[in-house]
Amino acid sequence: MEQLSWKRAMSVENSLIDNEHKMLLGMVADIEHNMSTKNVATLLQKFKTFESSVRKHFQHEEEIALAILHPFELHHQEHEYVLNELQLMMNELIGMNGRWSESASAHYLYFLSTWAISHIHEDDMLMKPRLQALPYDFQPVSLETQ
């Protein structure tokens, strides 16, 4: 599989979201590596960290969208879908003692990498026109106090 890496063309013109996207893409690459090496303990830990980071990222996106008056209902539904899928994957990984079958590993990795790219290119890019009008380091007050 092609290495996932953040490129300037993926910028939504907000430092927090861009940095989180870079981090999430790196985490998907780490998960892929741990799947290929069959490092069960590390894979489970990486996946738990990834799920937690995705959850936090979605919260940040939603707060930013609210602050810039960006319509977010469909994007929120996508977030809920992805969080449910990640929870199902985590439950299966735990249930299988950290060992997915080869076909499950391929399916989940495809889902993660495809989701990560489409999330940035299709969903988050819809906020870019509004974010371009703000400073690159814009954060709503709610995020500044965290």
Side-chain angles (χ1 to χ4, degrees):
M1 180 170 286
E2 180 184 328
Q3 178 72 25
L4 291 176
S5 60
W6 190 88
K7 296 165 184 59
R8 180 74 181 118
M10 295 175 167
S11 177
V12 297
E13 299 302 326
N14 180 272
S15 61
L16 177 64
I17 294 174
D18 285 349
N19 288 331
E20 287 179 349
H21 286 162
K22 291 173 191 176
M23 178 190 65
L24 292 173
L25 289 170
M27 293 173 111
V28 170
D30 280 348
I31 289 169
E32 177 182 14
H33 173 73
N34 283 284
M35 282 180 177
S36 68
T37 61
K38 308 221 185 302
N39 188 336
V40 173
T42 304
L43 175 59
L44 188 53
Q45 185 55 47
K46 296 269 183 189
F47 200 85
K48 286 179 180 178
T49 302
F50 177 73
E51 190 270 342
S52 175
S53 297
V54 168
R55 192 172 294 282
K56 183 175 236 173
H57 170 64
F58 286 172
Q59 177 186 350
H60 292 163
E61 280 187 354
E62 292 192 29
E63 290 182 33
I64 288 172
L66 253 157
I68 65 172
L69 304 175
H70 176 73
F72 206 73
E73 184 57 35
L74 290 175
H75 201 138
H76 177 76
Q77 289 173 11
E78 183 258 343
H79 284 179
E80 290 299 314
Y81 168 76
V82 169
L83 291 173
N84 287 335
E85 288 297 307
L86 291 177
Q87 191 60 57
L88 290 171
M89 287 183 218
M90 178 98 74
N91 291 345
E92 185 173 324
L93 187 61
I94 291 168
M96 302 291 288
N97 295 318
R99 291 184 177 92
W100 280 323
S101 68
E102 289 298 316
S103 62
S105 292
H107 170 75
Y108 293 144
L109 189 55
Y110 178 78
F111 174 83
L112 292 175
S113 60
T114 302
W115 163 76
I117 297 299
S118 69
H119 170 75
I120 295 169
H121 283 295
E122 296 167 18
D123 300 320
D124 290 351
M125 282 297 163
L126 297 174
M127 290 192 291
K128 186 173 182 172
R130 292 177 192 230
L131 289 169
Q132 285 177 313
L134 299 168
Y136 184 63
D137 62 352
F138 168 78
Q139 289 187 23
V141 173
S142 59
L143 291 177
E144 291 174 358
T145 59
Q146 289 183 8

